[in-house]
Amino acid sequence: MVKKVTVLDYGSGNLRSAERALARVGAEVTVTADYETAMEADGLVVPGVGAYAACMAGLRAVRGERIVARRLSAGRPVLGICVGMQILFETGVEHGVTTEGCGEWPGTVERLEAPVLPHMGWNTVKAPAGTVLFAGLDADTRFYFVHSYGVRSWGLQAGPGFTDPLVTWAEHGVPFVAAVENGPLAATQFHPEKSGDAGAQLLTNWLGTLS
């Protein structure tokens, strides 16, 4: 059965490449800011490039934070990509400015400590046992990153009766969160839509979680 996926258009870039990548792996894709369309889709993709504060402003302008929260409360899948992952955390700090995020996960997005920034190019990741997103991919598989900021520590532990989130790490100067799988909420710091066959496999795996 073909899965209907909405790519949320809130003024951030990278919409069409995400649309094309999802269509290539068999999804029926709509790019829109329409509230009801985003709510009714089998899966919602929140892309994002650029500054954290600008992305949050754009997201709030289309009630995107409410869409994400309402979908998750109903157990409906959401996938964040790049800054679309970062804004799922509590706060972002860029150029001395602290911006409130969606708060779905605790943690702060901050500048990486590395000799060269941005972190641009291909890098491996360390995925945990039980991962769904990285199923079928070798440990030395590389994904495409473009970012100077990231989440450098993970603080969420699931309580009794809940499954611990699966956190994937990568390293550029310091370790940072490269992906998270947390029930209906998943996200990647890298760009699966720019990661060739590996990214296509990851998107296929995510589509397989949609009901």
Side-chain angles (χ1 to χ4, degrees):
M1 190 178 227
V2 176
K3 305 300 184 183
K4 295 183 178 180
V5 175
T6 291
V7 176
L8 188 62
D9 182 359
Y10 63 98
S12 178
N14 225 38
L15 299 172
R16 297 305 169 186
S17 57
E19 177 188 22
R20 289 192 296 269
L22 287 158
R24 279 198 298 269
V25 296
E28 179 182 322
V29 189
T30 302
V31 178
T32 184
D34 181 72
Y35 189 91
E36 294 304 325
T37 303
M39 285 300 303
E40 292 171 4
D42 297 320
L44 176 71
V45 173
V46 182
V49 295
Y52 189 102
C55 284
M56 275 308 304
L59 192 73
R60 294 189 190 282
V62 300
R63 299 185 291 168
E65 81 286 6
R66 291 180 58 191
I67 294 170
V68 169
R70 282 195 60 195
R71 283 188 62 92
L72 295 177
S73 67
R76 311 205 71 191
V78 175
L79 174 66
I81 295 175
C82 196
V83 183
M85 166 179 158
Q86 294 178 359
I87 59 179
L88 296 170
F89 287 85
E90 284 178 326
T91 54
V93 179
E94 290 187 3
H95 309 297
V97 177
T98 299
T99 303
E100 181 181 351
C102 293
E104 297 297 339
W105 292 316
T108 299
V109 177
E110 57 190 331
R111 189 173 176 85
L112 300 178
E113 292 181 4
V116 176
L117 289 174
H119 173 214
M120 181 183 297
W122 297 86
N123 201 352
T124 57
V125 302
K126 295 179 181 177
T131 177
V132 173
L133 287 182
F134 297 92
L137 293 166
D138 294 334
D140 60 354
T141 299
R142 293 178 177 270
F143 297 90
Y144 191 78
F145 291 84
V146 184
H147 65 120
S148 296
Y149 294 80
V151 176
R152 291 162 48 186
S153 62
W154 178 261
L156 177 64
Q157 301 297 323
F162 292 89
T163 302
D164 283 335
L166 298 178
V167 181
T168 294
W169 294 86
E171 188 165 329
H172 181 71
V174 292
F176 64 88
V177 175
V180 183
E181 298 164 69
N182 184 199
L185 183 57
T188 65
Q189 177 62 68
F190 56 82
H191 289 274
E193 77 281 6
K194 295 181 179 179
S195 295
D197 291 344
Q201 181 63 59
L202 184 141
L203 291 174
T204 298
N205 291 343
W206 180 70
L207 287 180
T209 69
L210 308 187
S211 57

